[in-house]
């Protein structure tokens, strides 16, 4: 099945894609000279955190009120452009549903839809209560029974997240990495040697393969991508591989609606065509020794020196490598039989279209990009398919070339002060303990770019808490106290119901948040946090295109309510309370080790501490130490005024010859992954096959070290659950934090096929007919995990047999706009994570949520 843009628009009776995919919304803003501070108000630099792009912005205030947001015109990477998301933050900061003062629970019963009976209390009472609970753990020798969870954070997040917990004496502090896209980094590392996301030279690219990627909506550079996408379309062939007709797909040269989870088969078939046609980069990868080559690129290419022929094994001794490594072994193990015809039966894309895409990709060579995304790699067996998608970049030599793919440019920050001098014996003992998330086990490699078993699996914390008392596994134990900030695992984790049960079981739970949330409803103490973008100190380090940047967050307005900064001010205040109770180690660290880099003064209160922490870590960006890397800002004051440090432009071919592996080459056969798997095998006294089998992979022997296709894992049998479920991120999502904004709901239909103020599951018209449904019908969507109730929407932009829904709706406790009935905890639509089972890609520890993880049944309910 294939649909190109022209034929789709002609065929569409609704014509919805033509409007929804324009990429234009009422929020669009473009920075220029007219935005500079020559008006009666004031422009202040800060940073958006609506996604991991962390775009620098300027905020216009007048009479201490926020009126306008635009991109920061001082940022080289973004060119002063932003996407629609930051504009919603104005509605967030002034949201009447915000948590305005500390509160405590009066109803001991906990559960979904249960009123906590929150009553306002003072900060002193809240902090005293928390400090007393902490000291109770310390008195009983149970500091390890404190667990800590964080979600999104700023560059100073470790002040609270790590340093506080390490000095208190618990190893149980967990970030949100496992529900993020660590599998994408893992795939890049296994092939290219860099454990990081890719950047792309968008405006110079000539051919794009986009694997479930919608750059103007998400994928870490939506601000810049939105502003240049017209130029990209003018200059490049664009092929979007996605079961959903995204905004990008609607304007692509061809939309390839793949069967979810089969990306690896398609990528391997594309590689097969590139090799059999002789279209790989001889300069980058290498060549057969008997050359020379005829570089004519035609469909009838059959140069006699090319030994890559379908079904035939190749002698590697006949191939001489340049920047590549192990290509012949990849061919022999995974590619020689991976013909377009083979892949067509698996992924649902016609063989002729696979050949066309591969030929065009090879034709444009090192100006081609294969852009893999969470949709490709956040699958139970996703890393191998993602490796295949990235290996295509290596095949055509588009690593750090004009129009190719890049790692981040340099933009150095400093570390927080050393805490070791402030650790007591208990803290030193805790540092040697295993965390209770079960990351150290044979069936979880959990690689984080540095060591095995090091990536935190925060979403497993619910399973640990729910273990029957006295029957804990993996060396885990009871958690008596939990603190979390800037996260909502009852909504954002797959198998979300697990966290509702877990939070209800924890004896004492503290939630730090700006908004009411599903997780907050289980809290014993609720602490109100300052808004990340407008009310506190912080900084972010990010990159887009060929530039990196360090961007400040600073108070733009005086908070309207009695709130404190989660990562710094609350950490300081808790340290003070613990000192009053006889445990001064954390306070001593904060008050003595943190010295202002300009004045040498140490903080005397929470406000000073918050600013000094940011100054310490960003000092290389403004004191001249980073001048060789980019901007020479000269002073802290100038950094705050300009808003960001800009790196120099990433150089072409900078890492050729030293790509990051011990081989220094692009590894089509990953010696590095082989070494890691052998390390685990040695640790558990078994062989590599036993390790990969325990992790749920199909590969055995050498296949485990090369990109290849693995059958997708799907929960639910096809007879009971006939439809494959797939999700995507709403364009205005702000990582799940914008559903209580009127703007989010009013412009929900900027996502193709979606409906304003509603939550719809998009179903192909042929499937709608089979189900006896019409658009607007209320339906119950059920998986082996659970059920949600939403509205059905007939949508030609959905592959038959696949049903698709945006993530972001389904809040029952996020405010009066997000919920259909906030007072009675009735959600607007359904939360995808209520029907997505919890599972992981176990090489990286990344949560699986894509690739058609579950099947669902759909039935009409109500009148």
């Amino acid at each position: 099945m294939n649909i190109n843009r022209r034929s789709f628009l002609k065929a569409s009776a609704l014509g919805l894609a033509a409007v929804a995919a324009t990429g234009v919304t009422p929020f669009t803003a473009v920075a220029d000279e007219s935005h500079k501070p020559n008006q009666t108000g004031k422009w202040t630099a800060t940073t958006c955190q609506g996604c991991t792009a962390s775009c620098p912005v300027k905020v216009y205030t007048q009479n201490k009120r926020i009126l306008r947001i635009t991109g920061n015109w001082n940022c080289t990477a973004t060119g002063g452009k932003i996407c629609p998301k930051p504009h919603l933050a104005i509605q967030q900061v002034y949201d009447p549903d915000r948590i305005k003062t500390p509160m405590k629970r009066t109803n001991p019963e906990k559960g979904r839809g249960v009123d906590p009976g929150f009553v306002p209390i003072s900060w002193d009472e809240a902090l005293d209560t928390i400090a007393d609970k902490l000291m109770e753990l310390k008195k009983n020798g149970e500091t390890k029974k404190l667990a800590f969870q964080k979600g999104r954070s700023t560059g100073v997040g470790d002040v609270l997240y790590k340093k506080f917990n390490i000095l208190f004496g618990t190893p149980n502090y967990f970030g949100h990495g496992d529900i993020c896209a660590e599998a994408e980094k893992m795939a890049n590392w296994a092939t290219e040697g860099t454990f990081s996301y890719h950047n792309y030279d968008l405006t110079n690219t000539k051919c794009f393969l986009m694997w479930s990627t919608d750059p103007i909506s998400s994928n870490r550079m939506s601000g810049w991508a939105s502003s240049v996408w017209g130029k990209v379309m003018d200059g490049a062939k664009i092929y979007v591989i996605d079961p959903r007709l995204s905004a990008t797909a609607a304007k692509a040269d061809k939309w390839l609606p793949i069967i979810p989870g089969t990306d690896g088969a398609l990528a391997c078939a594309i590689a097969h065509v590139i090799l059999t046609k002789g279209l790989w980069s001889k300069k980058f990868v290498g060549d057969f020794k008997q050359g020379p080559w005829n570089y004519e690129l035609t469909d009838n290419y059959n140069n006699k020196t090319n030994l890559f022929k379908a079904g035939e094994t190749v002698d590697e001794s006949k191939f001489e490598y340049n920047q590549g490594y192990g290509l012949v072994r990849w061919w022999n193990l995974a590619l020689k039989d991976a013909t377009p015809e083979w892949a067509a039966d698996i992924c649902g894309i016609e063989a002729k279209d696979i050949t066309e895409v591969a030929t065009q990709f090879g034709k444009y060579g090192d100006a081609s990009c294969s852009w893999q995304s969470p949709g490709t790699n956040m699958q139970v067996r996703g890393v191998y398919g993602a490796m295949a998608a990235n290996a295509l970049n290596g095949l055509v030599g588009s690593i750090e070339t004009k129009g190719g793919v890049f790692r981040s440019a340099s933009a150095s920050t400093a570390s927080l002060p050393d805490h070791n001098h402030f650790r007591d014996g208990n803290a030193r003992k805790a540092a040697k303990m295993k965390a209770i998330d079960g990351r150290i086990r044979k069936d979880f490699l959990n690689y984080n770019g540095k060591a095995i078993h090091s990536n935190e699996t925060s979403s497993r914390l619910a399973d640990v808490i729910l273990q029957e008392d006295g029957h804990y596994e993996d060396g885990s134990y009871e958690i008596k106290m939990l603190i979390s900030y800037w996260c909502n695992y009852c909504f954002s984790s797959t198998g979300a119901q697990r966290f509702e049960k877990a939070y209800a079981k924890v004896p004492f739970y503290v939630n730090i948040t700006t908004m009411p949330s599903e997780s907050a409803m289980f809290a014993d103490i609720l602490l109100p946090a300052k808004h990340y973008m407008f009310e506190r100190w912080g900084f972010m380090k990010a990159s887009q295109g060929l530039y990196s940047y360090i961007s400040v967050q600073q108070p733009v307005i005086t908070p309207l309510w009695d709130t404190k900064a989660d990562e710094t001010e609350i950490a300081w205040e808790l340290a003070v309370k613990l000192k009053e109770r006889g445990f001064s180690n954390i306070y001593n660290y904060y008050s003595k080790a943190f010295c202002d880099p300009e004045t040498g003064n140490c903080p005397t209160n929470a406000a000073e501490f918050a600013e000094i922490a940011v100054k310490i870590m960003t000092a290389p960006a403004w004191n001249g130490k980073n001048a060789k890397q980019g901007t020479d800002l000269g002073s802290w004051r100038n950094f705050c005024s300009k808003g960001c440090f800009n790196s120099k432009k990433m150089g072409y071919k900078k890492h050729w010859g030293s790509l990051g592996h011990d081989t220094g080459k692009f590894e089509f056969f990953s010696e590095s992954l082989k070494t890691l798997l052998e390390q685990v095998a040695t640790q558990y006294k078994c062989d590599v096959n036993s390790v990969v089998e325990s992790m749920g992979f199909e590969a055995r022997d050498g296949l485990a070290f090369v990109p290849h296709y693995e059958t997708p894992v799907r929960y639910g049998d096809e007879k009971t659950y006939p439809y494959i479920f797939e999700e995507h991120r709403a364009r205005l999502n702000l990582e799940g934090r914008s559903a209580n904004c009127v703007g989010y709901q009013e412009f929900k239909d900027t996502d193709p096929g979606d409906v304003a103020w509603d939550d719809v599951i998009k179903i192909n018209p042929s499937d709608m007919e089979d189900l006896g449904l019409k658009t607007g019908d209320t339906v119950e969507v059920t998986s082996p995990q659970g059920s949600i109730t939403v509205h059905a929407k007939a949508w030609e932009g959905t592959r038959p047999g696949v049903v698709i829904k945006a993530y972001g709706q389904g809040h029952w406790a996020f405010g009066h706009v997000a919920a259909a009935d906030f007072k009675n905890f009735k959600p607007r639509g359904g939360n995808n994570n209520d029907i997505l089972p919890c599972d992981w890609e176990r090489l990286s520890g990344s949560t699986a949520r894509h690739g058609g993880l579950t099947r669902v049944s759909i039935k009409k309910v109500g009148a």
Side-chain angles (χ1 to χ4, degrees):
M1 174 183 178
N2 70 88
I3 303 176
N4 61 37
R5 179 166 60 94
R6 182 174 288 107
S7 64
F8 175 82
L9 294 178
K10 285 181 178 180
S12 174
L14 300 177
L16 291 168
V19 175
T22 59
V24 177
T25 78
F27 299 110
T28 302
V30 179
D32 57 38
E33 294 296 314
S34 67
H35 290 154
K36 290 189 176 181
N38 56 2
Q39 305 174 47
T40 57
K42 177 184 178 183
W43 287 97
T44 304
T46 186
T47 306
C48 174
Q49 279 187 267
C51 74
T52 51
S54 300
C55 290
V57 299
K58 289 274 190 173
V59 180
Y60 185 70
T61 55
Q62 196 169 34
N63 298 324
K64 300 181 181 180
R65 297 282 290 184
I66 300 167
L67 299 181
R68 187 180 184 187
I69 299 175
T70 187
N72 187 338
W73 48 82
N74 296 312
C75 180
T76 307
T78 65
K81 310 298 193 302
I82 51 176
C83 77
K85 296 183 186 72
H87 303 278
L88 293 176
I90 300 177
Q91 295 180 33
Q92 285 182 322
V93 74
Y94 295 122
D95 191 327
D97 286 328
R98 276 188 65 179
I99 306 299
K100 302 174 180 66
T101 187
M103 294 193 288
K104 70 176 180 181
R105 185 182 205 91
T106 61
N107 183 1
E109 182 185 354
K110 294 182 179 182
R112 180 182 290 211
V114 175
D115 187 347
F118 284 132
V119 296
I121 57 175
S122 68
W123 273 101
D124 267 341
E125 181 180 349
L127 293 168
D128 282 337
T129 303
I130 297 168
D132 286 343
K133 291 291 184 180
L134 289 169
M135 290 305 295
E136 183 180 328
L137 292 178
K138 190 158 188 66
K139 178 182 177 181
N140 294 332
E142 295 181 320
T143 57
K144 68 179 183 179
K145 294 187 177 182
L146 166 69
F148 190 95
Q149 281 183 305
K150 72 161 185 172
R152 184 59 59 208
S153 59
T154 77
V156 291
D158 283 357
V159 169
L160 175 60
Y161 162 61
K162 283 189 177 177
K163 302 299 185 179
F164 186 97
N165 292 288
I166 289 171
L167 292 175
F168 181 72
T170 179
N172 296 313
Y173 44 91
F174 310 110
H176 74 291
D178 73 318
I179 64 170
C180 198
E182 299 303 283
E184 181 174 344
K185 299 178 185 177
M186 184 72 188
N188 292 340
W189 172 85
T191 49
E192 196 177 328
T194 173
F195 196 87
S196 64
Y197 302 124
H198 269 149
N199 291 322
Y200 302 86
D201 191 8
L202 293 181
T203 55
N204 290 309
T205 297
K206 300 302 180 185
C207 185
F208 248 135
L209 299 189
M210 314 198 73
W211 302 85
S212 298
T213 303
D214 189 10
I216 67 172
S217 297
S218 58
N219 291 92
R220 283 175 281 281
M221 56 184 71
S222 53
W224 178 58
S226 296
S227 68
V228 300
W229 203 250
K231 184 175 180 180
V232 174
M233 290 193 300
D234 289 341
K237 289 269 189 183
I238 300 175
Y239 299 98
V240 176
I241 303 158
D242 196 329
R244 172 182 75 105
L245 186 87
S246 64
T248 307
K251 288 184 170 287
D253 289 271
K254 184 165 287 188
W255 171 41
L256 304 170
I258 193 170
I259 297 172
T262 62
D263 310 73
L266 179 58
C268 285
I270 292 172
H272 176 98
V273 173
I274 289 172
L275 290 173
T276 56
K277 286 190 170 223
L279 301 180
W280 77 88
S281 170
K282 318 307 178 300
K283 182 177 181 180
F284 182 81
V285 179
D287 193 356
F288 286 107
K289 295 178 181 178
Q290 62 264 45
W293 279 82
N294 173 0
Y295 288 95
E296 182 183 2
L297 305 178
T298 70
D299 287 339
N300 296 319
Y301 185 83
N302 61 354
N303 192 289
K304 293 180 180 179
T305 59
N306 185 4
L307 301 182
F308 292 124
K309 301 183 186 303
E312 296 185 13
T313 300
V314 174
D315 181 352
E316 189 164 26
S317 68
K318 296 181 178 180
F319 197 92
E320 185 173 3
Y321 290 102
N322 291 329
Q323 302 295 324
Y325 177 89
L327 175 64
V328 173
R329 275 177 284 174
W330 183 29
W331 168 267
N332 291 336
L333 288 164
L335 298 183
K336 66 183 178 65
D337 298 316
T339 63
E341 291 73 21
W342 164 83
D345 290 338
I346 295 171
C347 64
I349 306 299
E350 293 183 18
K352 64 181 180 62
D353 294 306
I354 298 174
T355 301
E356 175 194 330
V357 170
T359 303
Q360 291 296 318
F361 194 77
K363 173 184 175 182
Y364 288 105
D366 63 7
S368 298
C369 281
S370 174
W371 188 336
Q372 54 120 339
S373 74
T376 306
N377 50 59
M378 290 183 72
Q379 305 174 19
V380 174
R381 297 167 176 160
V383 159
Y384 285 113
M387 286 169 61
N390 189 47
L392 298 178
N393 292 312
L395 269 188
V396 298
S398 62
I399 306 300
E400 298 182 346
T401 55
K402 186 175 181 179
V405 299
F406 290 77
R407 62 185 69 182
S408 299
S410 297
S412 300
T413 53
S415 300
L416 288 172
D418 182 31
H419 64 272
N420 285 309
H421 177 67
F422 300 89
R423 289 194 299 176
D424 61 14
N426 181 59
R428 295 181 188 281
K429 179 181 177 182
K432 299 177 182 179
M433 295 179 183
K434 294 180 180 179
I436 61 168
D437 59 342
R439 75 188 72 159
I440 304 177
R441 45 194 285 178
K442 177 182 174 182
D443 60 339
F444 269 85
L445 185 69
N446 275 10
Y447 186 65
N448 70 347
K450 298 177 182 178
I452 61 171
H453 301 324
S454 293
N455 195 30
E456 300 152 3
T457 49
S458 188
S459 59
R460 294 198 73 242
L461 184 58
D463 302 322
V464 171
I465 293 172
L466 290 173
Q467 291 179 94
E468 185 179 348
D469 295 352
H471 294 84
Y472 292 106
E473 300 174 355
D474 303 321
S476 57
Y477 37 82
E478 178 188 14
I479 290 298
K480 289 189 173 181
M481 183 173 179
L482 174 68
I483 301 175
S484 68
Y485 87 94
W486 208 347
C487 62
N488 183 15
Y489 277 85
C490 288
F491 185 84
S492 61
S493 176
T494 52
Q497 302 95 329
R498 299 172 306 125
F499 274 98
E500 294 176 6
K501 296 175 183 177
Y503 287 169
K505 183 181 177 182
V506 171
F508 188 72
Y509 174 39
V510 179
N511 185 276
I512 307 170
T513 182
T514 58
M515 291 291 296
S517 70
E518 288 70 28
S519 295
M521 294 301 104
F522 292 84
D524 296 284
I525 296 289
L526 202 55
L527 299 181
K530 289 181 174 178
H531 191 275
Y532 62 92
M533 191 170 170
F534 303 117
E535 298 177 337
R536 69 169 187 190
W537 286 105
F539 78 93
M540 293 303 298
K541 181 178 175 180
S543 59
Q544 295 187 59
L546 304 188
Y547 298 91
S548 290
Y549 47 90
I550 300 168
S551 182
V552 73
Q553 288 175 323
Q554 58 187 317
V556 174
I557 57 170
T558 301
L560 296 177
W561 297 294
D562 191 14
T563 57
K564 296 183 186 294
D566 38 28
E567 296 170 330
T568 50
E569 293 175 340
I570 291 177
W572 174 276
E573 300 288 8
L574 276 176
V576 170
K577 293 294 186 181
L578 291 176
K579 178 190 175 190
E580 292 171 357
R581 287 156 175 77
F583 178 61
S584 61
N585 298 51
I586 301 174
Y587 176 80
N588 289 340
Y589 171 61
Y590 288 164
S591 63
K592 296 178 181 180
F594 284 68
C595 299
D596 190 314
E598 286 186 309
T599 66
N601 296 332
C602 292
T604 60
N605 57 54
E608 291 177 358
F609 177 63
E611 183 175 358
I612 288 173
V614 177
K615 291 179 76 172
I616 289 172
M617 293 197 71
T618 61
W622 52 264
N623 66 8
K625 290 186 178 180
N626 280 5
K628 291 183 179 180
Q629 295 180 355
T631 314
D632 187 358
L633 291 167
S635 69
W636 166 249
R637 181 177 180 181
N638 199 36
F639 177 50
C640 293
S641 175
K642 297 289 187 182
C644 62
F645 165 88
N646 299 301
S647 76
K648 293 180 180 178
K649 185 176 181 180
M650 173 64 85
Y652 293 129
K653 303 180 182 179
K654 180 178 179 180
H655 296 96
W656 280 34
S658 57
L659 284 175
H661 294 300
D662 288 342
T663 61
K665 298 177 181 292
F666 191 101
E667 293 187 351
F668 300 102
F669 180 98
S670 183
E671 292 285 358
S672 301
L673 180 56
K674 180 174 181 284
T675 297
L676 285 188
L677 291 172
E678 288 174 343
Q679 183 180 342
V680 177
T682 299
Q683 180 177 340
Y684 292 96
K685 299 179 180 179
C686 61
D687 59 19
V688 169
N689 282 344
S690 176
V691 172
V692 294
E693 181 180 12
S694 71
M695 290 192 289
F697 293 109
E698 297 173 321
R700 298 293 183 269
D701 303 319
L703 193 62
F705 315 132
V706 298
H708 65 273
Y709 168 66
E710 295 252 342
T711 307
V713 171
R714 302 206 203 284
Y715 282 76
D717 65 276
E718 188 172 358
K719 183 177 180 181
T720 307
Y721 304 100
Y723 298 98
I724 299 172
F725 178 80
E726 187 73 328
E727 72 165 15
H728 66 95
R729 291 298 183 264
R731 187 173 186 187
L732 302 180
N733 205 39
L734 278 173
E735 295 191 318
R737 299 191 299 271
S738 54
N740 207 50
C741 299
V742 171
Y744 173 88
Q745 301 292 349
E746 184 68 23
F747 298 104
K748 188 70 182 64
D749 52 2
T750 57
D751 295 302
D754 278 9
V755 178
W757 293 95
D758 203 353
D759 193 19
V760 300
I761 188 158
K762 290 163 277 194
I763 306 171
N764 189 274
S766 63
D767 293 325
M768 289 281 282
E769 184 176 351
D770 292 341
L771 288 163
L773 297 174
K774 63 180 184 298
T775 293
D777 283 346
T778 301
V779 295
E780 184 179 66
V781 182
T782 302
S783 77
Q785 174 65 33
S787 298
I788 58 175
T789 301
V790 295
H791 290 128
K793 171 70 180 290
W795 174 240
E796 301 95 323
T798 302
R799 181 187 174 91
V802 179
V803 294
I804 297 175
K805 182 179 168 300
Y807 167 79
Q809 299 279 48
H811 283 288
W812 54 269
F814 203 68
H816 288 82
V817 176
D821 183 348
F822 181 54
K823 181 179 179 181
N824 294 303
F825 307 108
K826 182 180 178 181
R828 186 185 302 280
N831 178 13
N832 294 1
N833 287 321
D834 282 346
I835 60 174
L836 284 172
C838 186
D839 208 335
W840 294 267
E841 191 291 311
R842 293 164 190 256
L843 289 173
S844 64
S846 181
T847 298
R849 59 173 71 247
H850 296 292
L853 176 64
T854 189
R855 290 183 170 275
V856 296
S857 63
I858 300 174
K859 69 175 182 179
K860 184 177 178 179
V861 295

